[in-house]
Each structure stands twice: as C-alpha cells, then as structure tokens.
Amino acid sequence: MDFKAGDTVKVYYKIKEGDGYRIQAFEGIVLGIKGEGDSKTFTVRRVGSDHIGVERIFPFKSPNLEKVDVTNKAKVRRAKVYFLRNLSEKEAKRKLS
C-alpha cells in the first residue's frame, strides 16, 4: 500500500453480515497516517449524501482490510491535511490538484 496524505483511495473492507461476509468500498481522501508498527492507521474522508462529511479510520494490519486502490495521487506539502475538513468537496479537490 503506497499512498500518502492527500491521495484519493478506494478502500475495500470486509463487513460481517449474519453468518457471511461482504466487501464494502469506501472512497475518499486520505487525511493522514498515524502511528507505527501494528497500531498504524490511516484516516479517509469523503462527503456523503446531503453534503455531510464522513471519516473512517482503518488499521493497516486489519484482517478485514481486503485491498486499497489509489485512484488519484495528490501533490501536498503536509503530512496531515486536516485543513480539508473546512472546505467543500469541490474546493478540496481543487486544492489537491
């Protein structure tokens, strides 16, 4: 998994439903990577319906993490891009390109 803060990723995560599993995709912008070793995590933010921001924290070493696809590489000068929380989705994409 080779991505950094600002990149747009699509995370495929296993969700348990009843006695089976399904794969759910979550696509958004990586806000930052935190920790080291087994406790390393990354935060992904997307703007959902009604323009509400949704953030999820994914652990790197989770057995439920199926795969991570990088859909867009960004050019940022920060390790954490928390300033995107205050921008609209359109403004955030413009800042990252």
Side-chain angles (χ1 to χ4, degrees):
M1 290 183 275
D2 189 31
F3 57 88
K4 59 183 176 47
D7 292 347
T8 303
V9 295
K10 195 168 194 178
V11 181
Y12 295 93
Y13 207 71
K14 273 196 258 184
I15 306 288
K16 184 173 170 61
E17 271 192 356
D19 45 347
Y21 289 95
R22 68 180 174 89
I23 305 288
Q24 180 174 337
F26 188 87
E27 185 171 8
I29 298 170
V30 177
L31 291 184
I33 299 172
K34 211 179 216 185
E36 58 185 38
D38 289 342
S39 62
K40 193 171 180 180
T41 61
F42 61 99
T43 306
V44 180
R45 176 183 173 86
R46 72 176 172 91
V47 178
S49 60
D50 296 329
H51 305 288
I52 296 173
V54 178
E55 290 184 12
R56 284 194 66 182
I57 300 171
F58 296 99
F60 272 92
K61 299 279 186 172
S62 173
N64 293 327
L65 191 64
E66 195 67 26
K67 67 177 178 174
V68 178
D69 288 338
V70 179
T71 57
N72 190 17
K73 286 280 197 186
K75 183 178 176 184
V76 293
R77 296 180 172 187
R78 302 279 177 268
K80 309 277 194 289
V81 288
Y82 295 143
F83 62 88
L84 296 179
R85 290 175 174 160
N86 301 326
L87 304 176
S88 70
E89 186 177 17
K90 190 175 183 180
E91 290 172 331
K93 286 182 181 178
R94 190 177 302 133
K95 283 257 191 198
L96 295 176
S97 59

